[in-house]
Amino acid sequence: MEINYKSISQSLKSNSRETGPRIYCKKLDKVIGGLNNKVYKTDFASKVSEVIYNSSPAEYYEHTLKEYNTKISKSGALIAYSGIKCGRSPMDRRIVHSTKYQADLWYPKNTTINDKVFYTNKETAICFLNNCDKIYVFDGYVCWHPKYKTKVRVISSRAYHCLFMYNMLIRPTKEELMNFGEPDITIYNAGCFPCNRYTESMTSSTSVNLNLETKEVVILGTQYAGEMKKAVFTMMNFFMPMKGVLSLHSSCNISKDEKNVCLFFGLSGTGKTTLSADVERKLIGDDEHCWHDDGVFNIEGGCYAKCIHLNPEKEPDIYNAIRFGSLYENVIAHPETREVDFNDSSVTENIRVSYPIHYIDNVHIPCVTGHPNNVILLTCDAFGVLPIVSKLSTKQAMYHFVSGYTSKVAGTEDGVDEPEAVFSACYGEAFLLCHPMKYAELLAEKLQKHETNCWLVNTGWVGGKYGAGNRCDINITRDIVRTIHDGTLKNEAFKPFKLLDMEMMMPQKYNLPRDEWNDKEKYDDTLASLEMLFKDNYLKYN
């Protein structure tokens, strides 16, 4: 089966915008192919769809604003809504069984489906898209390094999805678009239409399918834009390590003289985005990177920032990037002024904004740099037992990287009354398709080869756990990160801190965590409990 197109224009229509030509359908007969690339006649054979191809942000605005409840914010950013699903649906993600890659895949978090189920869902998606009056197609790239540049095609029934990917992918030049050819990765976003729940292996009306052999993504039953971003990242997380390239769920920045590079790892709430968006340094990227033989490059062409409680004073780079062309997802704005309320989580706690990376003032373009001088692992330890900062050996770095520890605090979710440990392998377990130790071994190899320092920085509680102690002040954390960047911290005198059987080293000038607690016995018990959680979690990977 293929999508049918109305041949509006046979010529390329160019204008002044940076993405180059506007193509209103150059008879794109191969945008969507059917089962095994054969063409099947269907009830939709006479249906004529208009293809809106690689449009400008302004035109995406015009199409999106025709949808119910969309609007333009006071800053000029577009506000769109994703419907019932306001976040990813990890329990509904499926990887197509692959005989070719069987030996390389790691399955615990990734339920597989067979080819028949995949093509059933793909057929459903194509039938839905074929029945739309308009479909939106965007061609772009991931991976800033020319050697690894990968072509991605997005096909959706909603204009806002293509604006989102316009922001998140690397936008092609006019010449690149004219010679784009066949994509390496294709995303069929039919999220407005549910999957058939009676199809084998379906657990709800939502289904996100990744086929590694055909490099296709099929989305049904969820309109949340982040599914597309993370599906592409998941594929990069599989194919890059096979080339000896370490894919990373991290942010990255460099000094203004471009001689000092730092990678930041951290789960939600640890401060990764805030600390990497530094007015004194240039941003390489905020979320997805690769570390290869020549250095680090950003995978994406934009940023997708969580903006609940966004503070313009603490996060000016993000706040100032929100303007015309940026896209809000699921935020609430004042009905008259259109001022966005960053504290309103009535739709979801996961309110987001996407924007092209060049909207950040301190950005390094192209988003490619040298090898990291420092790697910072961030954790928000709500138990209050970890040092504020400690230097890690390569072995310790591997352990903490595989553990990916942080914690939830009381009140963030229903039923969470006490601090709760959270572990996510490699700080992005949901997006891993290889065994976590494969990534950890690549990390260790690169840390040693390039003599990169690794640090564990606690942005959580000191002097007691959540409810008793205090959260570390962001300005103190920034000072610590600054001394890591300028090299002064590694020249400090160090003292040991023992976690499990590993003796980490922390700067002499900071108190041991135990010294900050009034109840020493309670500290010892809390630390012992956390150590047991670390041990139990790590057993999964051995």
Coordinates of all heavy atoms in Angstrom, one line a residue, residues 159-232:
A159 N 0.0 19.0 11.9 CA 1.1 19.9 11.6 C 2.0 20.1 12.7 O 3.3 20.3 12.5 CB 0.5 21.2 11.1
Y160 N 1.5 20.1 13.9 CA 2.4 20.4 15.1 C 3.5 19.4 15.3 O 4.6 19.7 15.7 CB 1.5 20.7 16.3 CG 1.6 19.7 17.4 CD1 2.7 19.6 18.3 CD2 0.5 18.8 17.6 CE1 2.7 18.7 19.4 CE2 0.5 17.9 18.7 CZ 1.6 17.8 19.5 OH 1.6 16.9 20.6
H161 N 3.2 18.1 14.8 CA 4.2 17.1 14.9 C 5.4 17.4 14.0 O 6.6 17.2 14.4 CB 3.6 15.7 14.5 CG 2.8 15.2 15.6 ND1 1.7 14.3 15.3 CD2 2.7 15.4 16.9 CE1 1.1 14.0 16.5 NE2 1.7 14.6 17.5
C162 N 5.1 18.0 12.8 CA 6.2 18.3 11.9 C 6.9 19.6 12.4 O 8.1 19.7 12.1 CB 5.7 18.4 10.5 SG 5.6 16.8 9.6
L163 N 6.2 20.5 13.0 CA 6.9 21.7 13.6 C 7.8 21.2 14.7 O 9.0 21.7 14.8 CB 5.9 22.7 14.1 CG 6.5 23.9 14.8 CD1 7.4 24.7 13.9 CD2 5.4 24.8 15.4
F164 N 7.4 20.3 15.5 CA 8.2 19.7 16.5 C 9.5 19.1 16.0 O 10.6 19.4 16.5 CB 7.4 18.7 17.3 CG 8.2 17.9 18.4 CD1 8.4 18.5 19.6 CD2 8.7 16.7 18.1 CE1 9.2 17.8 20.6 CE2 9.5 16.0 19.0 CZ 9.7 16.6 20.3
M165 N 9.3 18.3 14.9 CA 10.5 17.7 14.3 C 11.4 18.7 13.5 O 12.6 18.5 13.4 CB 10.1 16.5 13.5 CG 9.5 15.3 14.4 SD 10.6 14.8 15.7 CE 11.6 13.6 14.8
Y166 N 10.7 19.7 13.0 CA 11.5 20.8 12.4 C 12.5 21.4 13.4 O 13.6 21.7 13.2 CB 10.5 21.9 11.9 CG 11.2 23.2 11.4 CD1 11.4 23.4 10.1 CD2 11.6 24.2 12.3 CE1 12.0 24.6 9.6 CE2 12.2 25.3 11.9 CZ 12.4 25.5 10.5 OH 13.0 26.7 10.1
N167 N 12.0 21.5 14.7 CA 12.8 22.0 15.7 C 13.8 21.0 16.2 O 15.0 21.4 16.5 CB 11.9 22.4 17.0 CG 11.1 23.7 16.7 OD1 11.4 24.5 15.8 ND2 10.1 23.9 17.5
M168 N 13.5 19.8 16.3 CA 14.3 18.8 16.9 C 15.3 18.1 16.0 O 16.4 17.7 16.4 CB 13.5 17.7 17.6 CG 12.5 18.2 18.7 SD 13.4 19.2 19.9 CE 14.6 18.0 20.5
L169 N 15.0 18.0 14.7 CA 16.0 17.5 13.7 C 16.9 18.6 13.2 O 16.7 19.8 13.5 CB 15.2 16.9 12.5 CG 14.4 15.6 12.9 CD1 13.7 15.2 11.6 CD2 15.2 14.5 13.4
I170 N 18.0 18.2 12.6 CA 18.9 19.2 11.9 C 18.2 19.5 10.6 O 18.0 18.7 9.8 CB 20.3 18.6 11.7 CG1 20.9 18.1 13.1 CG2 21.2 19.6 11.0 CD1 22.1 17.2 13.0
R171 N 17.9 20.8 10.4 CA 17.2 21.3 9.3 C 18.1 21.3 8.0 O 19.2 21.8 8.0 CB 16.6 22.7 9.6 CG 15.6 22.7 10.7 CD 15.5 23.9 11.5 NE 16.7 24.1 12.3 CZ 16.9 23.5 13.4 NH1 16.1 22.6 13.9 NH2 18.0 23.8 14.1
P172 N 17.6 20.7 6.9 CA 18.4 20.6 5.7 C 18.5 21.9 5.0 O 17.6 22.8 5.1 CB 17.7 19.6 4.9 CG 16.2 19.7 5.3 CD 16.3 20.0 6.8
T173 N 19.6 22.1 4.3 CA 19.8 23.3 3.4 C 19.0 23.0 2.2 O 18.5 21.9 1.9 CB 21.3 23.5 3.0 OG1 21.7 22.3 2.3 CG2 22.1 23.6 4.3
K174 N 18.9 24.0 1.3 CA 18.1 23.9 0.1 C 18.7 22.8 -0.8 O 18.0 21.9 -1.3 CB 18.2 25.2 -0.7 CG 17.5 25.2 -2.0 CD 17.6 26.6 -2.7 CE 16.9 26.6 -4.0 NZ 16.9 27.9 -4.7
E175 N 20.1 22.8 -0.9 CA 20.7 21.8 -1.7 C 20.5 20.4 -1.1 O 20.3 19.4 -1.9 CB 22.2 22.1 -1.8 CG 22.6 23.3 -2.6 CD 22.2 24.6 -1.9 OE1 22.2 24.6 -0.6 OE2 21.9 25.6 -2.6
E176 N 20.6 20.2 0.2 CA 20.5 18.9 0.8 C 19.0 18.4 0.6 O 18.8 17.2 0.4 CB 20.7 19.0 2.3 CG 22.2 19.2 2.7 CD 22.4 19.4 4.2 OE1 21.6 20.0 4.8 OE2 23.5 19.0 4.6
L177 N 18.1 19.3 0.7 CA 16.7 18.9 0.5 C 16.4 18.4 -0.9 O 15.7 17.5 -1.2 CB 15.7 20.0 0.9 CG 14.3 19.6 1.2 CD1 14.2 18.5 2.2 CD2 13.5 20.8 1.6
M178 N 17.0 19.1 -1.9 CA 16.8 18.8 -3.3 C 17.4 17.4 -3.6 O 16.9 16.7 -4.5 CB 17.4 19.8 -4.2 CG 16.6 21.2 -4.1 SD 17.4 22.4 -5.2 CE 17.1 21.8 -6.8
N179 N 18.4 17.0 -2.9 CA 19.1 15.7 -3.1 C 18.9 14.8 -2.0 O 19.7 13.9 -1.7 CB 20.6 16.0 -3.3 CG 20.8 16.9 -4.5 OD1 20.6 16.5 -5.7 ND2 21.3 18.1 -4.3
F180 N 17.8 14.9 -1.2 CA 17.6 14.1 0.0 C 17.4 12.6 -0.3 O 18.0 11.8 0.4 CB 16.3 14.6 0.7 CG 16.2 14.1 2.1 CD1 16.9 14.7 3.2 CD2 15.4 13.0 2.4 CE1 16.8 14.3 4.5 CE2 15.3 12.6 3.7 CZ 16.0 13.2 4.8
G181 N 16.7 12.3 -1.3 CA 16.6 10.9 -1.7 C 15.8 10.1 -0.7 O 14.9 10.6 0.0
E182 N 16.1 8.8 -0.5 CA 15.3 7.9 0.4 C 15.9 8.1 1.8 O 17.1 8.2 2.0 CB 15.5 6.5 0.0 CG 14.8 6.1 -1.3 CD 13.3 6.3 -1.3 OE1 12.7 5.8 -0.4 OE2 12.8 7.0 -2.2
P183 N 15.0 8.1 2.8 CA 15.4 8.3 4.2 C 16.1 7.1 4.8 O 15.8 6.0 4.3 CB 14.1 8.6 4.9 CG 13.0 7.9 4.1 CD 13.5 8.0 2.7
D184 N 16.9 7.3 5.8 CA 17.5 6.1 6.5 C 16.5 5.6 7.6 O 16.4 4.4 7.8 CB 18.8 6.6 7.2 CG 19.8 7.0 6.2 OD1 20.1 6.3 5.3 OD2 20.3 8.2 6.4
I185 N 15.7 6.6 8.2 CA 14.7 6.2 9.2 C 13.4 6.9 8.8 O 13.4 8.1 8.4 CB 15.1 6.7 10.6 CG1 16.4 6.0 11.0 CG2 14.0 6.5 11.6 CD1 17.0 6.6 12.3
T186 N 12.3 6.2 8.9 CA 11.0 6.7 8.5 C 10.1 6.6 9.7 O 10.0 5.5 10.3 CB 10.4 6.0 7.3 OG1 11.3 6.1 6.2 CG2 9.0 6.6 6.9
I187 N 9.4 7.6 10.1 CA 8.4 7.6 11.2 C 7.0 7.8 10.6 O 6.7 8.8 9.9 CB 8.7 8.8 12.2 CG1 10.1 8.6 12.8 CG2 7.6 8.8 13.3 CD1 10.5 9.7 13.7
Y188 N 6.1 6.9 10.8 CA 4.7 7.0 10.4 C 4.0 7.3 11.7 O 3.7 6.5 12.5 CB 4.2 5.6 9.9 CG 5.1 5.1 8.8 CD1 6.1 4.1 9.0 CD2 4.8 5.4 7.4 CE1 6.8 3.6 8.0 CE2 5.6 4.9 6.4 CZ 6.6 4.0 6.7 OH 7.3 3.4 5.7
N189 N 3.6 8.6 11.8 CA 2.9 9.0 13.0 C 1.4 9.1 12.7 O 0.9 10.1 12.2 CB 3.5 10.4 13.5 CG 3.0 10.8 14.9 OD1 1.9 10.3 15.3 ND2 3.7 11.6 15.6
A190 N 0.7 8.0 13.1 CA -0.7 8.0 13.0 C -1.3 8.0 14.4 O -2.3 7.3 14.7 CB -1.2 6.8 12.2
G191 N -0.7 8.8 15.2 CA -1.1 8.9 16.6 C -2.5 9.3 16.9 O -3.0 9.0 18.0
C192 N -3.2 9.9 16.0 CA -4.6 10.3 16.2 C -5.5 9.1 16.0 O -6.7 9.2 16.4 CB -5.0 11.3 15.1 SG -4.1 12.9 15.3
F193 N -5.0 8.0 15.6 CA -5.8 6.8 15.4 C -5.3 5.6 16.3 O -4.1 5.4 16.4 CB -5.8 6.3 13.9 CG -6.8 5.4 13.5 CD1 -8.1 5.8 13.2 CD2 -6.5 4.0 13.4 CE1 -9.1 4.9 12.8 CE2 -7.5 3.1 13.0 CZ -8.8 3.6 12.7
P194 N -6.2 4.9 16.9 CA -5.7 3.9 17.8 C -5.3 2.6 17.1 O -5.7 2.3 16.0 CB -7.0 3.6 18.7 CG -8.1 3.9 17.8 CD -7.7 5.0 16.9
C195 N -4.5 1.8 17.8 CA -4.2 0.5 17.2 C -5.4 -0.4 17.6 O -6.2 -0.1 18.4 CB -2.9 -0.1 17.8 SG -3.0 -0.5 19.6
N196 N -5.5 -1.6 16.9 CA -6.5 -2.5 17.2 C -6.1 -3.3 18.5 O -5.1 -4.0 18.4 CB -6.7 -3.5 16.0 CG -7.9 -4.4 16.3 OD1 -8.2 -4.8 17.4 ND2 -8.5 -4.8 15.2
R197 N -6.8 -3.2 19.6 CA -6.3 -3.8 20.8 C -6.4 -5.3 20.8 O -5.8 -6.0 21.7 CB -7.2 -3.2 22.0 CG -6.9 -1.8 22.3 CD -7.8 -1.3 23.4 NE -9.2 -1.2 22.9 CZ -10.2 -0.8 23.7 NH1 -10.0 -0.6 25.0 NH2 -11.4 -0.7 23.2
Y198 N -7.1 -5.8 19.8 CA -7.1 -7.3 19.7 C -6.0 -7.9 18.8 O -5.8 -9.1 18.7 CB -8.5 -7.7 19.1 CG -9.6 -7.4 20.0 CD1 -10.4 -6.3 19.8 CD2 -9.9 -8.3 21.0 CE1 -11.5 -6.0 20.7 CE2 -11.0 -8.0 21.9 CZ -11.7 -6.9 21.7 OH -12.8 -6.7 22.6
T199 N -5.1 -7.0 18.3 CA -3.9 -7.4 17.6 C -3.0 -8.0 18.7 O -2.9 -7.5 19.8 CB -3.2 -6.2 16.9 OG1 -4.1 -5.6 16.0 CG2 -2.0 -6.7 16.2
E200 N -2.4 -9.1 18.3 CA -1.5 -9.8 19.2 C -0.4 -8.8 19.8 O 0.1 -8.0 19.2 CB -0.7 -10.9 18.5 CG 0.2 -11.7 19.3 CD 1.0 -12.7 18.5 OE1 0.7 -12.9 17.3 OE2 2.0 -13.3 19.0
S201 N -0.2 -8.9 21.2 CA 0.8 -8.2 21.9 C 0.4 -6.8 22.2 O 1.2 -6.0 22.8 CB 2.2 -8.2 21.2 OG 2.6 -9.5 21.0
M202 N -0.8 -6.3 21.8 CA -1.2 -5.0 22.1 C -1.8 -5.0 23.6 O -2.6 -5.8 23.9 CB -2.2 -4.5 21.1 CG -1.7 -4.4 19.7 SD -0.3 -3.3 19.5 CE 1.0 -4.4 19.4
T203 N -1.4 -4.0 24.3 CA -1.9 -3.9 25.7 C -2.8 -2.7 26.0 O -3.4 -2.6 27.0 CB -0.6 -3.7 26.7 OG1 0.2 -2.6 26.2 CG2 0.2 -5.0 26.7
S204 N -3.0 -1.9 24.9 CA -3.9 -0.8 25.0 C -4.2 -0.3 23.6 O -3.8 -0.9 22.6 CB -3.3 0.4 25.9 OG -2.3 1.1 25.2
S205 N -4.8 0.9 23.5 CA -5.0 1.5 22.2 C -3.8 2.2 21.6 O -3.8 2.7 20.5 CB -6.2 2.4 22.2 OG -6.0 3.5 23.1
T206 N -2.8 2.2 22.5 CA -1.5 2.9 22.0 C -0.5 1.8 21.7 O -0.4 0.8 22.3 CB -0.9 3.7 23.2 OG1 -1.9 4.8 23.5 CG2 0.4 4.3 22.8
S207 N 0.3 2.1 20.6 CA 1.3 1.2 20.2 C 2.4 2.0 19.5 O 2.1 2.8 18.6 CB 0.8 0.1 19.3 OG 1.9 -0.8 18.9
V208 N 3.7 1.9 20.0 CA 4.8 2.5 19.3 C 5.8 1.3 19.0 O 6.3 0.6 19.8 CB 5.5 3.4 20.3 CG1 6.8 4.1 19.6 CG2 4.6 4.5 20.8
N209 N 5.9 1.1 17.7 CA 6.7 0.0 17.1 C 8.0 0.5 16.5 O 8.0 1.4 15.7 CB 5.9 -0.8 16.1 CG 4.6 -1.3 16.7 OD1 3.7 -1.7 15.9 ND2 4.4 -1.4 18.0
L210 N 9.1 -0.2 16.8 CA 10.4 0.1 16.2 C 10.9 -1.1 15.4 O 11.0 -2.2 16.0 CB 11.4 0.5 17.2 CG 11.4 2.0 17.7 CD1 10.2 2.2 18.6 CD2 12.7 2.3 18.5
N211 N 11.1 -1.0 14.1 CA 11.7 -2.1 13.3 C 13.1 -1.7 13.0 O 13.4 -0.8 12.2 CB 10.8 -2.2 12.1 CG 11.2 -3.5 11.3 OD1 12.3 -3.9 11.2 ND2 10.2 -4.1 10.7
L212 N 14.1 -2.4 13.6 CA 15.5 -2.1 13.4 C 16.0 -2.5 12.0 O 16.9 -1.9 11.4 CB 16.3 -2.8 14.4 CG 16.0 -2.4 15.9 CD1 16.8 -3.3 16.9 CD2 16.4 -0.9 16.1
E213 N 15.4 -3.6 11.4 CA 15.8 -4.0 10.1 C 15.4 -3.1 9.0 O 16.2 -2.8 8.1 CB 15.4 -5.5 9.9 CG 16.0 -6.5 10.8 CD 15.8 -7.9 10.4 OE1 15.4 -8.1 9.2 OE2 16.0 -8.8 11.2
T214 N 14.2 -2.6 9.1 CA 13.7 -1.6 8.1 C 13.9 -0.2 8.5 O 13.7 0.7 7.7 CB 12.2 -1.9 7.8 OG1 11.4 -1.6 8.9 CG2 11.9 -3.3 7.3
K215 N 14.3 0.0 9.7 CA 14.5 1.3 10.3 C 13.2 2.2 10.1 O 13.2 3.3 9.6 CB 15.7 2.0 9.7 CG 17.0 1.3 10.0 CD 18.2 2.1 9.5 CE 19.5 1.3 9.8 NZ 20.7 2.0 9.3
E216 N 12.1 1.6 10.6 CA 10.8 2.3 10.6 C 10.2 2.4 12.0 O 10.5 1.5 12.8 CB 9.9 1.5 9.7 CG 10.2 1.5 8.2 CD 9.3 0.7 7.4 OE1 9.2 -0.5 7.8 OE2 8.8 1.2 6.4
V217 N 9.5 3.4 12.2 CA 8.8 3.6 13.5 C 7.3 3.8 13.1 O 7.0 4.7 12.3 CB 9.3 4.9 14.2 CG1 8.5 5.1 15.5 CG2 10.8 4.7 14.5
V218 N 6.4 3.1 13.8 CA 5.0 3.3 13.6 C 4.4 3.7 14.9 O 4.5 3.0 15.9 CB 4.3 1.9 13.1 CG1 2.8 2.1 13.1 CG2 4.9 1.6 11.7
I219 N 3.6 4.8 14.9 CA 3.0 5.3 16.1 C 1.5 5.3 16.0 O 1.0 5.9 15.0 CB 3.5 6.7 16.5 CG1 5.0 6.7 16.7 CG2 2.8 7.3 17.7 CD1 5.7 8.1 16.8
L220 N 0.8 4.7 16.9 CA -0.7 4.7 16.9 C -1.2 5.0 18.3 O -0.6 4.5 19.3 CB -1.2 3.3 16.5 CG -1.0 2.9 15.0 CD1 -1.2 1.4 14.9 CD2 -2.0 3.6 14.1
G221 N -2.2 5.7 18.4 CA -2.9 5.9 19.7 C -2.2 6.9 20.7 O -2.6 6.9 21.9
T222 N -1.2 7.6 20.3 CA -0.6 8.7 21.2 C -0.2 9.8 20.3 O 0.5 9.6 19.3 CB 0.5 8.2 22.0 OG1 1.1 9.3 22.7 CG2 1.6 7.4 21.2
Q223 N -0.5 11.0 20.7 CA -0.1 12.2 19.9 C 1.0 13.0 20.6 O 1.4 14.0 20.1 CB -1.3 13.1 19.7 CG -2.5 12.5 18.9 CD -3.7 13.2 19.0 OE1 -3.8 14.4 18.6 NE2 -4.8 12.6 19.5
Y224 N 1.6 12.4 21.7 CA 2.7 13.0 22.4 C 3.9 13.1 21.5 O 4.4 12.1 21.0 CB 3.0 12.3 23.7 CG 4.1 12.8 24.5 CD1 4.1 14.1 25.0 CD2 5.3 12.0 24.7 CE1 5.1 14.6 25.8 CE2 6.3 12.5 25.4 CZ 6.2 13.8 26.0 OH 7.3 14.3 26.7
A225 N 4.4 14.3 21.2 CA 5.4 14.5 20.2 C 6.8 13.8 20.6 O 7.6 13.4 19.8 CB 5.7 16.0 19.9
G226 N 7.0 13.7 21.9 CA 8.2 13.2 22.4 C 8.5 11.7 22.0 O 9.6 11.3 22.0
E227 N 7.4 11.0 21.6 CA 7.6 9.6 21.2 C 8.5 9.6 20.0 O 9.3 8.6 19.8 CB 6.3 9.0 20.9 CG 5.4 8.7 22.1 CD 5.8 7.5 22.9 OE1 6.9 7.0 22.7 OE2 5.1 7.1 23.8
M228 N 8.4 10.6 19.1 CA 9.2 10.6 17.9 C 10.7 10.8 18.2 O 11.6 10.1 17.7 CB 8.7 11.6 16.9 CG 7.3 11.4 16.4 SD 6.7 12.7 15.2 CE 6.5 14.1 16.3
K229 N 10.9 11.8 19.0 CA 12.3 12.1 19.4 C 13.0 10.9 20.1 O 14.1 10.5 19.7 CB 12.2 13.3 20.4 CG 13.5 13.5 21.2 CD 13.2 14.5 22.3 CE 14.3 14.5 23.4 NZ 15.6 15.0 23.1
K230 N 12.3 10.2 21.0 CA 12.9 9.1 21.7 C 13.0 7.9 20.9 O 13.9 7.0 21.1 CB 12.2 8.9 23.0 CG 12.4 10.0 24.0 CD 13.9 10.3 24.3 CE 14.1 11.3 25.4 NZ 15.5 11.7 25.5
A231 N 12.1 7.7 19.9 CA 12.2 6.6 19.0 C 13.5 6.7 18.2 O 14.2 5.7 18.0 CB 11.0 6.5 18.1
V232 N 13.8 7.9 17.7 CA 15.0 8.1 16.9 C 16.2 7.8 17.8 O 17.2 7.2 17.4 CB 15.0 9.5 16.2 CG1 16.4 9.7 15.6 CG2 13.9 9.6 15.2

